[in-house]
Amino acid sequence: MADWAEYARVMNNSAGVVAADGATGTPEKSFCSECGRAFSREEMIQYGNSWVCAGCKPIFVQKLKEGMTVSGAMEYAGFWLRFGAKVIDWIIVGAVNMILSFAAGLIMFPALSSPNSLAAVILPFILQLFQIAIAAAYTTWFLGKYAATPGKMACGIKVVTGDGDKVSYLRAFGRYFAEMISAIILCIGYIMAAFDEQKRALHDRICDTRVIRK
Ligand SMILES: [Zn+2]
């Protein structure tokens, strides 16, 4: 019965924090999420919002390996969820680029049909760069502002740093180009997410990001 009371106290405090017993200088204590007993934080390991005592650490680690999700810990989004999000983003960016390319084509047409062969070589190249810029801006802006592109929002997933923080615009921008590497190597960089214990794609490893469920 004493254990149950302890457990109730743990459940009422998602962070598992116990106020130090009045006395100043007392080390901050937390409840072990396994056995429910209070320990000084120095004797414990933290995982997400959960604290685990040294005695319970082996059993806790074993549970993690078996796929237990810890409250407050990050729940990594799986390969197919990420793939679905990617398809939605491809369709959106593809549609935008198609419209812009069509408009650009109309503008460029006189130049392309002129005998000036230099324009015929350079203009498609510029258009290509323009399309990359659109895709980079789309990814950077949505990830930096909302932590998720529309595709990821639709799939209920988002991109965070390895510590679970919001990604900056700069990191989101860098991640876009790191993702190109994942794509260039026959998409092996994407497929890596299916085999990583934290479901990281190559670009997640490069940029220290994780894709998690909201
Ligand atoms: Zn314990």
Side-chain angles (χ1 to χ4, degrees), residues 6-165:
E6 287 277 348
Y7 189 61
R9 283 164 67 195
V10 173
M11 294 311 285
N12 286 337
N13 194 335
S14 63
V17 181
V18 190
D21 287 345
T24 48
T26 310
E28 202 172 5
K29 287 187 167 187
S30 285
F31 284 117
C32 172
S33 69
E34 285 301 310
C35 62
R37 287 184 290 168
F39 293 91
S40 157
R41 282 194 175 182
E42 284 127 84
E43 303 165 37
M44 308 177 83
I45 59 154
Q46 189 180 15
Y47 189 90
N49 286 341
S50 301
W51 289 82
V52 182
C53 77
C56 295
K57 191 185 164 189
I59 196 168
F60 182 80
V61 170
Q62 186 58 38
K63 280 187 181 178
L64 283 182
K65 281 180 183 164
E66 288 163 7
M68 173 189 74
T69 52
V70 179
S71 69
M74 295 194 279
E75 192 186 345
Y76 303 113
F79 176 81
W80 289 109
L81 202 52
R82 298 182 60 161
F83 181 76
K86 189 53 70 184
V87 169
I88 294 169
D89 286 331
W90 275 334
I91 292 168
I92 295 170
V93 175
V96 170
N97 274 335
M98 206 160 73
I99 293 163
L100 289 171
S101 299
F102 183 72
L106 288 179
I107 296 163
M108 287 178 188
F109 186 73
L112 290 174
S113 55
S114 79
N116 184 348
S117 60
L118 189 63
V121 173
I122 289 175
L123 289 179
F125 180 70
I126 290 171
L127 184 59
Q128 192 72 48
L129 285 182
F130 194 66
Q131 291 187 348
I132 291 171
I134 295 280
Y138 171 90
T139 304
T140 304
W141 189 76
F142 277 111
L143 286 189
K145 190 162 178 68
Y146 301 109
T149 55
K152 286 189 167 69
M153 288 177 199
C155 293
I157 60 179
K158 64 176 182 176
V159 180
V160 295
T161 68
D163 300 327
D165 293 328

Side-chain angles (χ1 to χ4, degrees), residues 86 139 174-184 190 203:
K86 189 53 70 184
T139 304
R175 191 174 181 274
Y176 174 79
F177 291 97
E179 194 173 329
M180 279 186 168
I181 301 171
S182 290
I184 285 167
Y190 288 111
H203 45 284

